Amino acid sequence: MKNIIKFISIILLTVFISCKKDTKDPEPVPEPMPVTPTSGTLKIEFEHMFDTVEFNLGQNYKTANGDTVKANMLKYYISNIVLTKNDNTTYADPNGYHLLDVSDPASTILDIPNIPIGSYKSLSFILGVDSASNCSGAQTGALDPAKGMFWNWSTGYIMFKLEGTSPQSGSSTKTLTYHAGGFGGANKVQRNFNFNFATTTSNITGNNSPYIHLSVDVNEFFKNPATINVATQYFLMSAGATAKMYADNYADMINFEHVHN
Amino acid sequence: MCKPANIFFLFGVLIFASCKVDPKIIEPLPVSGLVEVVPEGWPLPKYTFSVNTLSEEKFALGRALFYEPMLSADNSVSCGSCHQQFAAFANADHAVSHGINDLVGTRNSPGIFNLAWHPYFMHDGGINHIEVQPLGPITNTLEMGADINPVIVKLQASSRYRDLFKKAYGSDTVNTQKMFRAMAQFMGLMYSYNSKYDYYKRQENNETLSDAELRGYNLFISKCSSCHTEPLFSDFAFRNNGLPVNVFVKDSGRAHITGLPGDRYKFKTPSLRNIAKTAPYMHDGRFTTLQQCLDHYTKGVTNLTNLDPLLQNNGLQLSANDKQDIIAFLQTLTDYKFLGDKRFSDPNF
């Protein structure tokens, strides 16, 4: 250990001296300490699928009902991410709210920084925005109403937004418009996800680049328990029983795939 | 669902206590030193400025934004277009709001005052927070018809607004939160509590009510105040007051928000403060005089779905003289200090 300190000190000193030009009084070089990391960053990757094939905007897929659907927008909130260690202590993501937008691949990989090192056995989060943040006035960041995920006439976040087209759509423009919102009581459309990593833990060492790979099956929006028939079910833009029906469908759309350490 | 913040209880109590000792605090707010006020005998407000710290500069920004036509799609309509100070920030002579491109809305523009006590906003209560309320009219296609992002771009491009944002927040970057919190300061500080009625209740200025006003007040207490509850003159409940449904608009009111059949044709009880100045009346502005409003309650109540239980049995029983007395009382609810308070006027004039 001491040798490493010496070695680094010498290198830094050399660098410092060689950079020095007119400085008359070189400050003493701060003693560099080898730091044992106490935390690390975890990536959570959401890979979008339609059944077993890769999901992309602008491509046709066949729903459980046999309808051909093509999405041009898919956005949803993931919030309240909590990681649980083997010893049952937990770490909550301080960033709180993430807006995933399939048209922006970078937004589908979440960086969770400053996680204390250790072995983690499970992950939980909410699809949607918790009730409190729906009642707290003007928010910023992912919750900025300018993101287009906010109802202006009946306050609340659109938790899940899927738009596209289908030749079978009952709308005169053959469009599909699904904006699911409703944050409290019977109208809640937030859904909780909780994944145990089974045999492999997610190890945060501070020196690795671990990630958790999740898959999101978009077809689950169109089925189970309610099989969606786009001839009649092509429009959703308010909270209530219909939004809740769709939420019950997407409640199992995200699955745990594997952990990389 | 939403728990009102109550952490400012102590603050409120302090203000309240100081109101009692020092009558000066209930004078119109000084131009400098904006403060929250809880008038004597009032409940604590729902909205405090705990997160949205008050400052002259934010208030000035909010005031500029309130009167800013750039908030509309074609730069023609501001909040102040339909919320005029001389009408207690209602829209004089307009049954319903008049938006961009001469479009006509579906509801009457309500007065703006004492918003800090409102648990929710709009006639249907659809908006749950003062800070996000402006999004409603700004984006309503029949009112200001804008998308919020182009509005931000326009404000960002304006050197006047970059300056105002910088003064208010230390940075000239415009965003919705800064914008709406500044507007919440401007609108949230519109306190109206200095009407003749208020002076009478507080026993200030040796204020007295005339015999007719007193008779009207007593009638008001027995006939009206279960919904138009003092001191805010609203219980903020949603009620169907028996107006025949306008078949062209078919406004379902609260049910538009909740989707519940039991809420059909219910609207939020409006405050009656400044009522003599906020004509036309009702959610769709169908009545132009207070006399017509009272006539509705005695002769016009229609027993449709969800008629309020308090208006069953043919509405209210009031004689012609009773109505005159009630109207005399309602006139005492006008707060002329508020109507003339320069801090709330259009800064461009």
Side-chain angles (χ1 to χ4, degrees):
Chain A
M1 192 66 94
K2 278 185 178 170
N3 285 338
I4 297 175
I5 298 174
K6 273 184 193 166
F7 179 67
I8 297 175
S9 302
I10 290 165
I11 289 188
L12 283 179
L13 202 55
T14 316
V15 170
F16 185 75
I17 290 168
S18 58
C19 291
K20 188 174 80 119
K21 283 184 180 163
D22 297 327
T23 323
K24 281 163 196 161
D25 302 302
E27 294 288 318
V29 179
E31 192 81 359
M33 297 290 290
V35 179
T36 309
T38 55
S39 66
T41 295
L42 171 72
K43 286 183 189 300
I44 305 178
E45 183 182 353
F46 290 74
E47 184 184 13
H48 294 85
M49 311 289 291
F50 203 97
D51 289 332
T52 53
V53 299
E54 188 181 277
F55 171 82
N56 288 301
L57 299 178
Q59 279 185 21
N60 285 323
Y61 300 96
K62 192 151 277 193
T63 66
N65 193 54
D67 302 324
T68 301
V69 297
K70 178 160 72 179
N72 53 40
M73 179 192 287
L74 173 57
K75 294 182 187 182
Y76 53 93
Y77 281 107
I78 296 292
S79 67
N80 294 60
I81 299 173
V82 175
L83 285 151
T84 304
K85 271 186 187 173
N86 282 341
D87 65 5
N88 290 325
T89 57
T90 58
Y91 177 75
D93 167 31
N95 291 330
Y97 305 92
H98 302 268
L99 178 56
L100 279 73
D101 177 350
V102 173
S103 73
D104 172 17
S107 74
T108 65
I109 301 172
L110 312 183
D111 270 335
I112 316 296
N114 305 322
I115 304 174
I117 58 167
S119 295
Y120 289 82
K121 63 177 181 181
S122 68
L123 161 73
S124 67
F125 54 76
I126 296 172
L127 192 167
V129 175
D130 51 81
S131 174
S133 283
N134 283 271
C135 302
S136 304
Q139 308 287 300
T140 190
L143 296 181
D144 188 333
K147 302 278 183 194
M149 296 291 281
F150 189 78
W151 278 326
N152 302 332
W153 53 279
S154 178
T155 306
Y157 284 93
I158 299 169
M159 315 281 179
F160 181 100
K161 194 172 193 177
L162 175 64
E163 293 183 0
T165 57
S166 167
Q168 286 84 35
S169 167
S171 101
S172 57
T173 49
K174 298 295 170 199
T175 49
L176 304 173
T177 309
Y178 304 107
H179 299 180
F183 57 82
N187 289 341
K188 254 178 93 125
V189 297
Q190 302 97 322
R191 289 296 179 268
N192 297 312
F193 290 84
N194 192 3
F195 301 117
N196 292 309
F197 306 148
T199 51
T200 321
T201 55
S202 177
N203 297 319
I204 311 290
T205 66
N207 294 315
N208 60 347
S209 306
Y211 74 85
I212 294 171
H213 186 159
L214 306 175
S215 65
V216 185
D217 183 359
V218 180
N219 195 24
E220 285 292 342
F221 179 81
F222 294 96
K223 66 174 188 185
N224 183 28
T227 303
I228 303 304
N229 174 1
V230 303
T232 53
Q233 296 164 302
Y234 52 84
F235 188 83
L236 170 70
M237 240 189 223
S238 58
T242 311
K244 203 171 155 292
M245 176 194 76
Y246 286 104
D248 289 339
N249 274 8
Y250 65 59
D252 60 352
M253 77 186 303
I254 305 176
N255 293 294
F256 171 72
E257 293 296 327
H258 54 259
V259 162
H260 271 260
N261 284 310
Chain B
M1 227 180 282
C2 303
K3 288 183 185 169
N6 55 12
I7 50 171
F8 268 64
F9 179 76
L10 184 59
F11 182 57
V13 167
L14 287 174
I15 298 270
F16 180 76
S18 54
C19 287
K20 278 184 176 167
V21 243
D22 179 12
K24 277 178 187 159
I25 193 104
I26 48 178
E27 290 300 306
L29 303 174
V31 173
S32 58
L34 301 168
V35 285
E36 291 181 89
V37 171
V38 182
E40 186 178 330
W42 286 32
L44 292 172
K46 305 277 180 201
Y47 184 73
T48 66
F49 298 88
S50 53
V51 177
N52 184 12
T53 318
L54 287 172
S55 78
E56 286 294 321
E57 294 77 13
K58 290 177 201 161
F59 179 89
L61 171 61
R63 182 181 177 193
L65 288 166
F66 184 87
Y67 289 102
E68 179 50 66
M70 281 199 292
L71 268 51
S72 66
D74 63 359
N75 307 327
S76 66
V77 177
S78 75
C79 306
S81 304
C82 295
H83 295 285
Q84 302 160 306
Q85 186 172 13
F86 68 87
F89 293 98
N91 196 1
D93 299 329
H94 285 69
V96 293
S97 50
H98 182 174
I100 58 165
N101 300 322
D102 281 338
L103 290 165
V104 175
T106 57
R107 291 184 184 157
N108 181 253
S109 174
I112 300 176
F113 44 81
N114 304 333
L115 295 189
W117 282 266
H118 286 226
Y120 25 68
F121 301 87
M122 319 306 275
H123 289 292
D124 58 23
I127 296 180
N128 71 10
H129 200 285
I130 189 174
E131 289 172 8
V132 291
Q133 191 283 333
L135 274 167
I138 289 172
T139 59
N140 186 311
T141 52
L142 299 176
E143 297 180 27
M144 297 163 83
D147 286 332
I148 196 64
N149 285 303
V151 169
I152 299 291
V153 170
K154 282 189 275 186
L155 295 174
Q156 190 70 67
S158 151
S159 58
R160 178 185 173 214
Y161 277 99
R162 284 199 304 275
D163 185 47
L164 285 167
F165 274 87
K166 179 148 194 174
K167 281 181 179 149
Y169 294 103
S171 149
D172 68 2
T173 308
V174 178
N175 71 28
T176 56
Q177 187 181 60
K178 291 178 186 173
M179 177 178 165
F180 293 140
R181 287 192 172 166
M183 295 179 79
Q185 296 206 358
F186 180 65
M187 290 188 273
L189 288 176
M190 288 183 177
Y191 299 125
S192 178
Y193 58 99
N194 287 312
S195 64
K196 182 178 183 182
Y197 156 86
D198 293 299
Y199 290 127
Y200 168 74
K201 292 291 278 189
R202 294 197 298 256
Q203 300 181 328
E204 275 175 45
N205 304 350
N206 298 317
E207 193 66 76
T208 53
L209 297 188
S210 71
D211 289 348
E213 289 164 349
L214 269 178
R215 284 196 305 272
Y217 185 26
N218 287 326
L219 283 162
F220 177 86
I221 289 170
S222 62
K223 302 284 186 181
C224 315
S225 69
S226 47
C227 305
H228 296 285
T229 318
E230 295 170 84
L232 291 152
F233 288 85
S234 172
D235 62 354
F236 300 109
F238 299 98
R239 301 173 184 277
N240 177 349
N241 67 346
L243 293 170
V245 175
N246 178 330
V247 291
F248 298 104
V249 181
K250 290 193 183 124
D251 190 339
S252 64
R254 181 63 179 161
H256 182 56
I257 301 302
T258 63
L260 301 174
D263 285 338
R264 231 169 257 161
Y265 313 125
K266 289 185 181 176
F267 295 88
K268 187 175 67 181
T269 307
S271 173
L272 298 184
R273 285 182 171 273
N274 300 303
I275 194 70
K277 299 291 176 186
T278 62
Y281 304 111
M282 303 296 162
H283 67 272
D284 55 4
R286 68 178 67 188
F287 299 139
T288 54
T289 64
L290 292 171
Q291 181 71 46
Q292 287 174 334
C293 295
L294 290 173
D295 288 347
H296 162 74
Y297 285 114
T298 56
K299 296 188 288 207
V301 170
T302 310
N303 199 345
L304 285 168
T305 336
N306 302 327
L307 175 65
D308 197 88
L310 293 167
L311 294 172
Q312 305 280 357
N313 308 319
N314 301 319
L316 304 178
Q317 278 73 55
L318 296 168
S319 70
N321 286 340
D322 290 345
K323 290 179 190 173
Q324 287 315 305
D325 291 341
I326 290 176
I327 289 170
F329 169 68
L330 293 177
Q331 306 274 359
T332 71
L333 298 178
T334 302
D335 178 352
Y336 289 98
K337 278 191 174 170
F338 173 66
L339 300 184
D341 191 332
K342 291 284 177 218
R343 293 169 309 137
F344 301 124
S345 65
D346 188 338
N348 304 305
F349 293 103

